[in-house]
């Protein structure tokens, strides 16, 4: 399943990431990890002290990948609204749910301070990053002066996470897409308001 060029620790981490996403912490057994990673028990415990340490490495990697994907959409050129739109409409595996957001519903992850920390930090980072962009939009006259960036950022993150839940419940990405369209309609600057465009980053 994984590239032959991947090291054994990487295969173990990737296997754990996939299993946590689909089965949760309890359903991610060491045997299932070893089977999916194509690694033996001795190899697994040579690289990691146990399931918790491996799960932590997997969650940290999942969080880093989410930050990278989100920041790529949010850091491009264009208006604040355009960058938020790029984030909301970026490609996702909607029916699998958010790999970070789903961990918040896992009681074993949430009960473990070490496992919960990268989840909380990543969602906090995302809200903060979006709030910065909304503030840029306020400063540029794109959004009204009464706009509260932290509240808009929380709404954006809540819409995405809630959209995943609706999509998984209905078995269709249409529910997620509808939530995104609705939020974008609410955030759209009024006609005639011409915000200053953000310059393209240097090559």
């Amino acid at each position: 399943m994984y590239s032959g060029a991947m090291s054994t620790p990487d295969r173990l981490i990737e296997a754990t990431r996939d299993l946590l996403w689909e089965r949760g912490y309890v359903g991610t057994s060491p045997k299932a990890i070893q089977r999916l990673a194509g690694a033996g028990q001795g190899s697994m415990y040579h690289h990691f002290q146990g399931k918790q340490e491996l799960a932590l490495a997997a969650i940290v990697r999942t969080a880093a990948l989410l930050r990278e994907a989100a920041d790529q959409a949010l850091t491009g050129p264009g208006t604040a609204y355009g960058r938020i739109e790029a984030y909301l409409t970026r490609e996702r595996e909607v029916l699998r749910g958010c790999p970070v957001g789903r961990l918040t519903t896992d009681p074993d992850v949430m009960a473990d301070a070490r496992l919960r920390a990268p989840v909380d930090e990543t969602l906090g980072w995302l809200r903060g990053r979006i709030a910065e962009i909304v503030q840029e939009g306020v400063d540029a006259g794109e959004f009204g002066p009464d706009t509260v960036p932290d509240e808009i950022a929380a709404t954006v993150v809540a819409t995405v996470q809630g959209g995943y839940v609706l999509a998984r419940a209905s078995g269709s990405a249409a529910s997620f897409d509808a939530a995104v369209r609705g939020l974008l309609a609410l955030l759209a600057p009024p006609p005639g308001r011409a915000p200053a465009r953000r310059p393209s980053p240097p090559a």
Side-chain angles (χ1 to χ4, degrees):
M1 179 175 179
Y2 305 111
S3 167
M6 292 176 67
S7 67
T8 298
D10 277 341
R11 292 201 313 275
L12 288 164
I13 290 171
E14 288 302 311
T16 305
R17 288 183 62 233
D18 284 335
L19 290 168
L20 284 173
W21 197 352
E22 293 297 335
R23 303 183 185 182
Y25 188 78
V26 170
T28 301
S29 68
K31 286 187 177 180
I33 295 169
Q34 294 158 24
R35 189 180 309 115
L36 188 58
Q41 179 177 343
S43 181
M44 174 176 166
Y45 288 101
H46 172 72
H47 295 290
F48 299 95
Q49 292 182 2
K51 175 180 169 180
Q52 185 200 43
E53 184 182 359
L54 184 49
L56 178 60
I59 292 170
V60 167
R61 180 173 295 182
T62 293
L65 290 171
L66 184 145
R67 288 191 187 205
E68 181 181 346
D71 204 42
Q72 185 174 3
L74 293 167
T75 305
T79 63
Y81 177 86
R83 284 179 285 151
I84 292 171
E85 180 181 30
Y87 165 71
L88 287 170
T89 59
R90 74 176 181 83
E91 187 175 349
R92 291 177 168 87
E93 295 183 74
V94 172
L95 294 182
R96 290 188 73 187
C98 174
V100 172
R102 287 190 68 180
L103 293 170
T104 66
T105 66
D106 190 319
D108 296 281
V109 173
M110 292 296 99
D112 187 316
R114 292 183 69 206
L115 300 180
R116 185 179 68 249
V119 177
D120 182 37
E121 289 166 5
T122 298
L123 293 175
W125 169 86
L126 183 58
R127 292 194 305 272
R129 184 74 185 90
I130 293 171
E132 289 175 0
I133 293 170
V134 174
Q135 184 62 59
E136 290 178 22
V138 173
D139 294 342
E142 183 178 351
F143 300 129
D146 57 343
T147 300
V148 181
D150 287 343
E151 293 180 358
I152 298 299
T155 301
V156 170
V157 174
T159 298
V160 170
Q161 296 301 323
Y164 280 123
V165 172
L166 293 175
R168 286 175 60 80
S170 66
S172 170
S175 299
F176 182 95
D177 295 339
V180 166
R181 287 195 303 272
L183 179 57
L184 287 172
L186 291 172
L187 292 177
R193 177 173 284 166
R197 292 188 62 82
R198 181 172 182 263
S200 299

